[in-house]
C-alpha cells in the first residue's frame, strides 16, 4: 500500500518536472522571439521562410481533403433531420458554424500535429542523438533560439492560415452537398451561410488555432530535445510527440470553448 | 624548455550519472601547447570527462581551472565567453546536416562576431584549406566520407581561433590511412596554431603518434599519467593490458 503511494508520488514529481520544463521552453522561445532582435540575434529569416513553406504550403492539400469531406459528411448527416422539420436550408448554417467554430481549427491542428509536429520531433531528435544539439551548445548557440524559435513562429503564423483554408474547404464541402443532392439554390445557400455566421465564430476559431500551433511546436520541440537512445529513441519520441499534441489540443479546445461559451453569457 | 604553464587543471572531479559514479575523484593538469591524450576502454568515462571540461556537463564536485580561473564559479555569461575560446570536434562530427560545409564552418563566426559576410567567407575558406577541404565548400555533410566529415568538424572547431581544442574519438571508424591523415592534422594544427589539444581515443596507434602526455582512464578513475615512454614502459598491469590489447589481465569485459 505504502509502495503504491510512493510510486504515485514519483510519477507526480515526474509530471511536475515535465510541466515545469515545458513551460520553461515556452518562455525561453518567446524570450528569444521578443528579445532576440534587440540582442542582434533575430530569428533567421531564411530558416523562417523555409519553415513556413514546409509547414504551410505543403500542407494545403491534405488540410483541404480532410475538412472538405468533413463538410460533406456534416451536411449529409444533418439533412434528413432538418428535412423532417422542413428546415433543410439550415444545413448551410449548421455546417458553416460547426466548421468555423470547432471542426476547422481542431481538424486542421490534428492534421498538422501528425505532419509537422512529428517532423519537428524527428528532426530535432535526430540532431540530439547525433550530438548536433550538444555541438550548438558547445559553440554557445542556444538550440532554442536557433532551432525552436523559427519553427514556433512559422507554425503560429501558418496554422491560422491553414485553418482559414480548412474553414473554406469545409463550407465548400457542405455547399457541394447542399446544391447538388439537397437541391438548394446556390445563391440562397451562400446567403444563409453568411447570415448566421458571425465574425466571432471565425475569430474564436482562429484564436484557438494560434494556441494549437504553440502546443504542436512546443511539444514537438520538447520531445525532440529530450530524445535519447539512437534511432529507436527518435521513433519513440516522435510517437509520444504526436499523441501528446493530440491530447493537449483536445483539452485546450475544451477549455477555450468553455471560456468563449461562458464569456458569451 | 621553459617552465610549463598549466592551461587546464582538473581537481578532484566527480560526476554521477544514472546513480553511478562515472568519474571518481579525477585530477590532472594539462599544459599549454601540448597534446594531451585521454585513453581508455568504451564506457569508462572519457566522453563524460571531456563534456565536463567543455561545460556540457556540470560536475557534482571538484574544480576545473582554465588559466587559473574556476569555471564552475563563473556566471552563465562569463562562462559562455570562456567557452568561445574552446573548440570541440565530436565523435560523430556533429555537423548540422541542413547546412553545407562552408555554412557549418562559418556558423560560430556568423553567430558570435560582427564580421562582414565577405570576411567570414575568407576565414571559413582558410579554415577549410587548413584541413585540406578546399573545393568542398558547397557539399552537404551527407555527401562527404567519414574522414572528410571529421575534418570539416575540425575546421569548425578552429573557426573562432580557439586556445583549446577537444577531440572526441577523432579517428574512430576511419581506415588506417585516413586515420594517419587526421592524426597528422591534429599535430599540425596544434603546433602551427599554438593550440592546446585534448584528445580522447582508444586507438593505440594514434595515441603513440600524437601524444605529448597520456592519461589512462579506467572505471572513472585516472590509472596513470605519463609521457609516451612512461606509458609504454608502465608497470601498471591495467595500462599494459590496454596498450597491448591482451585478453588476459585485470580488465574484464562483461
Ligand atoms: N546521461 C547519462 N545517463 C546515465 N549514464 C550515462 C550518461 N552518459 C553516460 N553514461 C554512462 O557513463 C559511462 C561512461 O560513458 P562515456 O563517458 O560516454 O564513456 P566513453 O566515452 O569512455 O566510452 C557509461 O557507462 C555510460 O553508460
Ligand atoms: Mg565516448
Amino acid at each position: 500500500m505504502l509502495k503504491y503511494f510512493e510510486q504515485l508520488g514519483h510519477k507526480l514529481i515526474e509530471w511536475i518536472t515535465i510541466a515545469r520544463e515545458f513551460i520553461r521552453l515556452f518562455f525561453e522561445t518567446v524570450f528569444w522571439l521578443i528579445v532576440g532582435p534587440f540582442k542582434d540575434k533575430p530569428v533567421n529569416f531564411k530558416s523562417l521562410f523555409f519553415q513556413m513553406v514546409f509547414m504551410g504550403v505543403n500542407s494545403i492539400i491534405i488540410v483541404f481533403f480532410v475538412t472538405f469531406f468533413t463538410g460533406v459528411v456534416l451536411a449529409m448527416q444533418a439533412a434528413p433531420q432538418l428535412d423532417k422539420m422542413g428546415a433543410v436550408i439550415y444545413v448551410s448554417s449548421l455546417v458553416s458554424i460547426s466548421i468555423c467554430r470547432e471542426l476547422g481549427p481542431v481538424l486542421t491542428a490534428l492534421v498538422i500535429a501528425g505532419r509537422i509536429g512529428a517532423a519537428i520531433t524527428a528532426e530535432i531528435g535526430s540532431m540530439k542523438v547525433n550530438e548536433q544539439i550538444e555541438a550548438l551548445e558547445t559553440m554557445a548557440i542556444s538550440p532554442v533560439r536557433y532551432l525552436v524559435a523559427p519553427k514556433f513562429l512559422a507554425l503560429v503564423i501558418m496554422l491560422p492560415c491553414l485553418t482559414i483554408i480548412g474553414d473554406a474547404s469545409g463550407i465548400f464541402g457542405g455547399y457541394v452537398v447542399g446544391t447538388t443532392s439537397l437541391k438548394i439554390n446556390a445563391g440562397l445557400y451562400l446567403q444563409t451561410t453568411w447570415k448566421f455566421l458571425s465574425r466571432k465564430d471565425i475569430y474564436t476559431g482562429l484564436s484557438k488555432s494560434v494556441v494549437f500551433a504553440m502546443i504542436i511546436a512546443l511539444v514537438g520541440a520538447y520531445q525532440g530535445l529530450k530524445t535519447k537512445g539512437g534511432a529507436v529513441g527518435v521513433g519513440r519520441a516522435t510517437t509520444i510527440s504526436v499523441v501528446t499534441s493530440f491530447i493537449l489540443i483536445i483539452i485546450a479546445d475544451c477549455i477555450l470553448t468553455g471560456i468563449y461559451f461562458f464569456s458569451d453569457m | 624548455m621553459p617552465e610549463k604553464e598549466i592551461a587546464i587543471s582538473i581537481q578532484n572531479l566527480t560526476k554521477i550519472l544514472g546513480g553511478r559514479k562515472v568519474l571518481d575523484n579525477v585530477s590532472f593538469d594539462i599544459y599549454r601547447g601540448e597534446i594531451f591524450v585521454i585513453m581508455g576502454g568504451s564506457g569508462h568515462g572519457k566522453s563524460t570527462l571531456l563534456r565536463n571540461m567543455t561545460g556540457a556537463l556540470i560536475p557534482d564536485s571538484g574544480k576545473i581551472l582554465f588559466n587559473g580561473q574556476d569555471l564552475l564559479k563563473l556566471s552563465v555569461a562569463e562562462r559562455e565567453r570562456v567557452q568561445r575560446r574552446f573548440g570541440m570536434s565530436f565523435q560523430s562530427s556533429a555537423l548540422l546536416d541542413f547546412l553545407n560545409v562552408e555554412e557549418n564552418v562559418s556558423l560560430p563566426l556568423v553567430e558570435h562576431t560582427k564580421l562582414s559576410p565577405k570576411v567570414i567567407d575568407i576565414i571559413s575558406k582558410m579554415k577549410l584549406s587548413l584541413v585540406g577541404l578546399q573545393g568542398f565548400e558547397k557539399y552537404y555533410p551527407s555527401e562527404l566520407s567519414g574522414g572528410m566529415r571529421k575534418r570539416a568538424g575540425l575546421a569548425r572547431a578552429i573557426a573562432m581561433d580557439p586556445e583549446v581544442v577537444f577531440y572526441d574519438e577523432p579517428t574512430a571508424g576511419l581506415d588506417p590511412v585516413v586515420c594517419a591523415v587526421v592524426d597528422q592534422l591534429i599535430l599540425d594544427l596544434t603546433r602551427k596554431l599554438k593550440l592546446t589539444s585534448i584528445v580522447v581515443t582508444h586507438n593505440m596507434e594514434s595515441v603513440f603518434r600524437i601524444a605529448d602526455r597520456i592519461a589512462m582512464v579506467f572505471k572513472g578513475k585516472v590509472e596513470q599519467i605519463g609521457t609516451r615512454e612512461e606509458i609504454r614502459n608502465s608497470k601498471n598491469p591495467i595500462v599494459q593490458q590496454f596498450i597491448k590489447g591482451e585478453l588476459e589481465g585485470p580488465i574484464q569485459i562483461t
Side-chain angles (χ1 to χ4, degrees):
Chain A
M1 191 65 190
L2 209 64
K3 218 173 178 172
Y4 179 75
F5 277 117
E6 205 177 295
Q7 259 175 7
L8 202 73
H10 281 305
K11 215 54 199 166
L12 206 65
I13 291 170
E14 200 184 307
W15 277 88
I16 292 171
T17 316
I18 291 176
R20 275 225 316 255
E21 286 172 349
F22 187 78
I23 291 166
R24 206 191 125 90
L25 178 65
F26 169 74
F27 280 114
E28 211 179 324
T29 309
V30 173
F31 170 84
W32 281 117
L33 284 173
I34 295 170
V35 179
F38 297 104
K39 285 181 125 190
D40 231 10
K41 294 199 160 101
V43 170
N44 185 336
F45 269 100
K46 204 174 121 194
S47 156
L48 181 66
F49 182 76
F50 174 83
Q51 292 294 338
M52 281 168 67
V53 172
F54 167 68
M55 290 172 176
V57 180
N58 300 349
S59 305
I60 288 174
I61 305 230
I62 177 161
V63 167
F64 171 80
F65 274 111
V66 170
T67 46
F68 174 83
F69 285 110
T70 305
V72 169
V73 169
L74 264 180
M76 292 195 302
Q77 295 276 21
Q81 306 300 323
L82 290 169
D83 203 17
K84 277 184 214 155
M85 299 183 273
V88 79
I89 177 65
Y90 292 114
V91 163
S92 68
S93 46
L94 185 135
V95 168
S96 60
I97 290 174
S98 38
I99 288 281
C100 289
R101 273 195 194 171
E102 189 62 32
L103 292 168
V106 171
L107 288 177
T108 307
L110 293 180
V111 167
I112 296 303
R115 213 185 101 88
I116 306 300
I120 291 174
T121 305
E123 184 186 325
I124 296 181
S126 68
M127 290 183 71
K128 176 76 189 296
V129 299
N130 288 323
E131 299 180 299
Q132 291 173 43
I133 300 290
E134 195 188 325
L136 283 172
E137 282 167 347
T138 309
M139 289 187 279
I141 298 171
S142 156
V144 175
R145 173 174 68 78
Y146 190 74
L147 297 171
V148 181
K151 292 181 168 61
F152 179 88
L153 185 58
L155 200 54
V156 167
I157 295 170
M158 289 322 270
L159 191 59
C161 297
L162 288 168
T163 303
I164 291 172
I165 293 171
D167 287 351
S169 328
I171 290 172
F172 179 58
Y175 172 86
V176 169
V177 174
T179 52
T180 55
S181 82
L182 303 181
K183 299 196 173 57
I184 300 170
N185 173 284
L188 188 65
Y189 188 98
L190 290 177
Q191 216 181 350
T192 348
T193 298
W194 298 139
K195 204 165 116 197
F196 288 94
L197 189 63
S198 69
R199 263 202 205 130
K200 195 181 171 196
D201 294 328
I202 297 174
Y203 289 160
T204 52
L206 290 182
S207 67
K208 276 181 185 176
S209 79
V210 170
V211 175
F212 298 159
M214 292 180 180
I215 290 173
I216 295 167
L218 287 175
V219 170
Y222 178 79
Q223 290 301 337
L225 291 171
K226 291 270 282 187
T227 303
K228 49 184 159 200
V232 181
V234 176
R236 195 184 317 125
T238 308
T239 311
I240 295 175
S241 162
V242 174
V243 173
T244 313
S245 278
F246 273 32
I247 294 170
L248 289 183
I249 285 170
I250 301 296
I251 293 174
D253 182 49
C254 177
I255 293 171
L256 291 174
T257 306
I259 291 171
Y260 296 141
F261 179 72
F262 285 108
S263 68
D264 237 18
M265 299 274 119
Chain B
M1 224 184 158
E3 183 70 8
K4 282 178 189 161
E5 205 185 321
I6 294 173
I8 296 181
S9 177
I10 307 285
Q11 297 174 2
N12 309 104
L13 190 77
T14 297
K15 180 70 194 175
I16 297 166
L17 280 173
R20 213 160 52 80
K21 265 191 192 174
V22 175
L23 294 176
D24 188 1
N25 205 17
V26 172
S27 300
F28 54 79
D29 292 332
I30 297 166
Y31 300 124
R32 187 170 304 290
E34 75 172 342
I35 298 180
F36 187 86
V37 171
I38 299 167
M39 66 174 196
S42 287
H44 285 263
K46 305 183 300 297
S47 297
T48 307
L49 187 50
L50 221 51
R51 287 197 178 105
N52 278 281
M53 289 191 244
T54 60
L57 288 176
I58 305 296
D60 290 295
S61 66
K63 280 185 186 171
I64 302 170
L65 305 182
F66 173 61
N67 294 340
Q69 208 175 16
D70 191 344
L71 291 188
L72 304 173
K73 291 220 175 87
L74 298 179
S75 69
V76 176
E78 286 171 324
R79 201 176 163 135
E80 263 187 18
R81 213 167 310 127
V82 172
Q83 236 169 298
R84 286 184 210 168
R85 286 144 75 189
F86 293 167
M88 169 100 190
S89 149
F90 289 86
Q91 192 164 345
S92 58
S93 308
L95 299 167
L96 303 189
D97 36 33
F98 52 86
L99 299 180
N100 66 30
V101 168
E102 192 176 17
E103 290 165 336
N104 263 294
V105 174
S106 58
L107 181 65
L109 295 160
V110 172
E111 293 291 326
H112 293 311
T113 69
K114 291 197 175 7
L115 298 172
S116 71
K118 225 181 184 138
V119 176
I120 288 179
D121 191 54
I122 292 170
I123 297 177
S124 53
K125 284 223 165 64
M126 192 185 83
K127 302 291 175 184
L128 279 170
S129 72
L130 270 174
V131 299
L133 279 181
Q134 62 273 52
F136 290 94
E137 288 85 359
K138 300 287 175 245
Y139 282 61
Y140 281 84
S142 59
E143 300 166 329
L144 300 178
S145 69
M148 287 159 102
R149 276 205 290 268
K150 281 271 157 72
R151 284 188 280 156
L154 254 177
R156 183 179 67 182
I158 57 169
M160 296 279 282
D161 297 319
E163 282 174 46
V164 181
V165 179
F166 301 90
Y167 313 73
D168 197 356
E169 314 249 0
T171 56
L174 303 181
D175 72 57
V177 178
V178 179
C179 200
V181 170
V182 170
D183 283 343
Q184 191 58 46
L185 204 54
I186 294 173
L187 277 168
D188 284 349
L189 292 175
T190 308
R191 305 298 183 233
K192 273 191 211 153
L193 306 176
K194 300 198 165 45
L195 303 171
T196 305
S197 288
I198 296 144
V199 185
V200 160
T201 185
H202 50 224
N203 181 332
M204 291 326 296
E205 265 178 67
S206 286
V207 172
F208 289 113
R209 214 156 27 205
I210 62 176
D212 292 316
R213 287 191 312 136
I214 301 163
M216 167 85 199
V217 173
F218 182 67
K219 290 188 175 166
K221 290 182 196 247
V222 173
E223 201 59 42
Q224 189 181 358
I225 297 180
T227 60
R228 282 186 240 188
E229 286 318 303
E230 284 164 358
I231 292 292
R232 219 191 293 269
N233 303 324
S234 169
K235 299 269 185 302
N236 186 323
I238 294 172
V239 175
Q240 275 306 323
Q241 187 194 352
F242 189 77
I243 61 177
K244 298 207 176 109
E246 288 166 338
L247 280 176
E248 300 296 322
I251 305 176
Q252 296 291 324
I253 306 294
T254 46

